[in-house]
Amino acid sequence: MLKGIQKTLYVILIFFVSLFIASSFFIRAEYNYVVYGDTPMLQQQHVGTFILLIIALLVFSVMLYRLCLKLNVYRPKIVIPLVLLGSLAIQVAIIFLFPRLPTDDSQTVVSLAMNMLYKGDYSTFGTTGYLHMFPFNYSTVLYIEALLAMFPDNYVTIKLANIGFALITTLMIYLIYKQLNPNSKDNDYGVLVFAATYIPSLFMSNFIYNDVIATTLLTSALYFGIRFMKEKSIKYIILAAILVTIGNYFRSIGIIFLLAIVISLFFHFKQLGWKKVVLSVCLFAVLFNIPSWTQNTLLQTTDKVQTSTTTNAAPIYMWLNMGINLKTIGFWDNRESYNIYQRDADYNKAVSTELFKESIAQKLSTASFGDLVHMYYKKIIWTWTEGTYQIERYGIGNDGSSGGQRASFIMGGYSYPTFATDLFAGNSPYRSGILWVLYTMNFLMYGFILIRLIGSLRAKRFDEVSLVLVILGFVGFYILWEIKSRYIYPIYPLLIILSYMGFKDTYEWLIQQDFLRLRSSARKES
């Protein structure tokens, strides 16, 4: 029965990945604020350019893989630090070459952190305040406040912390891969190099928010969860529970990682025994809400707030309402949902909840079945095939001179100009070029993921089921929720792992085929 459930999960993910791949030959998902504004774009695919980039990236990938194979003669204690050091150097160069200023939510959390640190100002929790509406972002404010209290008070401090967490994520990608491939004859430095030079993660360190730290914590939690299932040592599940709890405190999608680990524990019920499975589940249940409970208790006992911060926070129905929109395909709805909460409900959670439910019901009743199917199809395809996690906005940035005041607010500016900011100014070939490369690379990753999933299904090997569960959780969640391709950033480590597995399977199969062909020819000649 358990094998049947795991097989079904693989088949479902194969369906979605196949949908992403097939759609990409006809539709190109794009986000480029300089050209289109803050809008998700789905356009007709430029097949010629697309095919040429596929070929070029495949050739480059094979060359890089062969180069990484030559590193097998060196010990991990030498290679791993050197690769991480190289990634560190690249990311440091990026934050100085693209000194992007924080904007919108990013700027807000920085400002709030400084107000709390230097002025003791917690008025943001009051009605109409930012944290009154979004109390879940207090974790990010608290984190930034702690950094600025301990280290020099500037943006570079926060970005360097991002780089530190990004490097840990890179290491975790490698460690998870090794856990899932314990019988590999190679050191598999290729997956480490891929993770260390993955362009979206290199640029995302330039973005001051909770994405990078949450990704590190949740990826690490998954690693220790997998290691517990392999080695059965209780210390690993304790670490997994702590990390997923803290990760969820920063980004509430941590619940998806938690559920994936718990379900995977039940798949390993026979190996672990019922006592360890029950103990693990209880541990997750006890720890999971401690950060939010502690936060509320401390804020109330110190008279920073009078009631729980979630009493009149924006309800989850606000994001669900954004997620159902035929015009924006579930993207930002130009404050339509915000206005329901702020103006119509006067920042009242209970009142706004009912208004959002009415709005959702109206949208569902007035739209035809075909309209809804079309919207959800476009929503899924844009979110999962855009491929850049919107680094054009969050990592590269812009001088803010294009598009007026709204553009400046979204894109921000730079602390100072550099030759790199000049090269990427406006819709330059460098900006559009990197977006094309990332889009195509994302497509190829899906291709190799598909190969791995089909191979695992045929071999009845389900070692990657915890990764499959997390990805499916994200697919399902963002079918309903407001979308940004940046929102799925926390699963880029899993996409790297699965795609590298597929790439390696393909490479070794091709090498084997060449060997068999040559051997067959030799036999005929003799």
Side-chain angles (χ1 to χ4, degrees), residues 68-84:
C68 291
L69 288 178
K70 295 181 180 180
L71 297 175
N72 276 324
V73 297
Y74 301 103
R75 293 178 299 168
K77 289 183 178 179
I78 296 174
V79 176
I80 293 175
L82 287 176
V83 172
L84 294 178

Side-chain angles (χ1 to χ4, degrees), residues 327-344:
K327 293 180 180 178
T328 66
I329 61 171
F331 198 77
W332 167 251
D333 60 7
N334 198 27
R335 296 193 62 85
E336 178 184 318
S337 295
Y338 276 29
N339 287 336
I340 292 175
Y341 170 77
Q342 294 174 339
R343 296 180 183 178
D344 300 342

Side-chain angles (χ1 to χ4, degrees), residues 154-198:
N154 56 57
Y155 299 138
V156 173
T157 293
I158 308 171
K159 292 180 180 182
L160 288 175
N162 275 350
I163 292 173
F165 284 111
L167 294 176
I168 295 172
T169 301
T170 297
L171 179 60
M172 286 298 144
I173 290 171
Y174 180 70
L175 293 177
I176 291 174
Y177 182 90
K178 296 300 289 183
Q179 283 291 316
L180 297 176
N181 294 272
N183 299 321
S184 176
K185 297 178 182 179
D186 301 322
N187 286 317
D188 295 303
Y189 294 134
V191 69
L192 178 70
V193 172
F194 184 15
T197 58
Y198 188 59

Side-chain angles (χ1 to χ4, degrees), residues 353-422:
T353 296
E354 295 306 314
L355 293 174
F356 285 126
K357 287 180 179 179
E358 291 174 9
S359 176
I360 292 169
Q362 182 181 13
K363 290 177 180 179
L364 291 174
S365 63
T366 55
S368 68
F369 178 76
D371 289 337
L372 291 173
V373 170
H374 193 222
M375 181 202 72
Y376 283 118
Y377 169 72
K378 291 194 292 185
K379 185 177 183 181
I380 292 170
I381 296 305
W382 184 83
T383 303
W384 289 89
T385 67
E386 191 269 337
T388 74
Y389 306 98
Q390 296 173 269
I391 64 160
E392 187 259 353
R393 169 180 171 182
Y394 298 108
I396 298 173
N398 192 274
D399 60 10
S401 61
S402 302
Q405 186 176 357
R406 174 63 180 167
S408 180
F409 178 74
I410 293 291
M411 297 298 296
Y414 297 116
S415 298
Y416 50 85
T418 68
F419 78 90
T421 60
D422 291 339

Side-chain angles (χ1 to χ4, degrees), residues 259-390:
L259 291 174
I261 295 172
V262 169
I263 294 171
S264 297
L265 290 174
F266 283 103
F267 287 147
H268 291 79
F269 189 86
K270 290 183 179 179
Q271 299 94 314
L272 295 171
W274 69 268
K275 289 183 179 179
K276 286 188 176 180
V277 171
V278 171
L279 177 62
S280 301
V281 173
C282 291
L283 190 63
F284 281 115
V286 170
L287 292 180
F288 195 66
N289 285 314
I290 285 180
S292 58
W293 292 340
T294 304
Q295 170 185 297
N296 276 323
T297 300
L298 289 176
L299 287 171
Q300 290 181 60
T301 55
T302 55
D303 293 324
K304 301 294 191 304
V305 298
Q306 301 304 312
T307 60
S308 171
T309 56
T310 60
T311 300
N312 277 306
I316 61 171
Y317 291 97
M318 184 176 78
W319 288 275
L320 293 174
N321 188 57
M322 288 188 204
I324 303 175
N325 193 309
L326 299 181
K327 293 180 180 178
T328 66
I329 61 171
F331 198 77
W332 167 251
D333 60 7
N334 198 27
R335 296 193 62 85
E336 178 184 318
S337 295
Y338 276 29
N339 287 336
I340 292 175
Y341 170 77
Q342 294 174 339
R343 296 180 183 178
D344 300 342
D346 195 24
Y347 296 88
N348 185 289
K349 184 176 185 177
V351 174
S352 65
T353 296
E354 295 306 314
L355 293 174
F356 285 126
K357 287 180 179 179
E358 291 174 9
S359 176
I360 292 169
Q362 182 181 13
K363 290 177 180 179
L364 291 174
S365 63
T366 55
S368 68
F369 178 76
D371 289 337
L372 291 173
V373 170
H374 193 222
M375 181 202 72
Y376 283 118
Y377 169 72
K378 291 194 292 185
K379 185 177 183 181
I380 292 170
I381 296 305
W382 184 83
T383 303
W384 289 89
T385 67
E386 191 269 337
T388 74
Y389 306 98
Q390 296 173 269

Side-chain angles (χ1 to χ4, degrees), residues 91-310:
Q91 291 180 74
V92 169
I94 285 173
I95 67 172
F96 284 106
L97 288 174
F98 297 91
R100 182 186 183 275
L101 294 169
T103 57
D104 44 73
D105 284 333
S106 178
Q107 178 58 57
T108 301
V109 293
V110 172
S111 298
L112 292 177
M114 296 181 73
N115 286 340
M116 291 179 186
L117 178 62
Y118 298 117
K119 300 177 182 178
D121 182 3
Y122 287 79
S123 60
T124 181
F125 285 106
T127 305
T128 75
Y130 180 82
L131 292 183
H132 174 89
M133 187 172 181
F134 308 117
F136 52 81
N137 271 341
Y138 181 55
S139 56
T140 307
V141 173
L142 197 61
Y143 160 66
I144 294 173
E145 182 183 358
L147 283 178
L148 298 182
M150 293 185 291
F151 302 104
D153 179 2
N154 56 57
Y155 299 138
V156 173
T157 293
I158 308 171
K159 292 180 180 182
L160 288 175
N162 275 350
I163 292 173
F165 284 111
L167 294 176
I168 295 172
T169 301
T170 297
L171 179 60
M172 286 298 144
I173 290 171
Y174 180 70
L175 293 177
I176 291 174
Y177 182 90
K178 296 300 289 183
Q179 283 291 316
L180 297 176
N181 294 272
N183 299 321
S184 176
K185 297 178 182 179
D186 301 322
N187 286 317
D188 295 303
Y189 294 134
V191 69
L192 178 70
V193 172
F194 184 15
T197 58
Y198 188 59
I199 296 174
S201 67
L202 296 177
F203 275 93
M204 198 60 83
S205 293
N206 214 11
F207 180 50
I208 298 174
Y209 207 49
N210 54 23
D211 299 73
V212 175
I213 184 173
T215 300
T216 300
L217 292 166
L218 296 173
T219 305
S220 301
L222 187 61
Y223 163 71
F224 285 111
I226 292 171
R227 191 161 181 182
F228 170 69
M229 288 175 251
K230 296 280 186 180
E231 301 182 20
K232 305 179 182 65
S233 175
I234 203 68
K235 66 182 179 182
Y236 294 126
I237 201 63
I238 293 173
L239 286 170
I242 293 171
L243 288 165
V244 80
T245 295
I246 301 172
N248 186 74
Y249 181 54
F250 279 97
R251 283 204 64 186
S252 298
I253 42 83
I255 185 66
I256 298 175
F257 282 81
L258 182 147
L259 291 174
I261 295 172
V262 169
I263 294 171
S264 297
L265 290 174
F266 283 103
F267 287 147
H268 291 79
F269 189 86
K270 290 183 179 179
Q271 299 94 314
L272 295 171
W274 69 268
K275 289 183 179 179
K276 286 188 176 180
V277 171
V278 171
L279 177 62
S280 301
V281 173
C282 291
L283 190 63
F284 281 115
V286 170
L287 292 180
F288 195 66
N289 285 314
I290 285 180
S292 58
W293 292 340
T294 304
Q295 170 185 297
N296 276 323
T297 300
L298 289 176
L299 287 171
Q300 290 181 60
T301 55
T302 55
D303 293 324
K304 301 294 191 304
V305 298
Q306 301 304 312
T307 60
S308 171
T309 56
T310 60

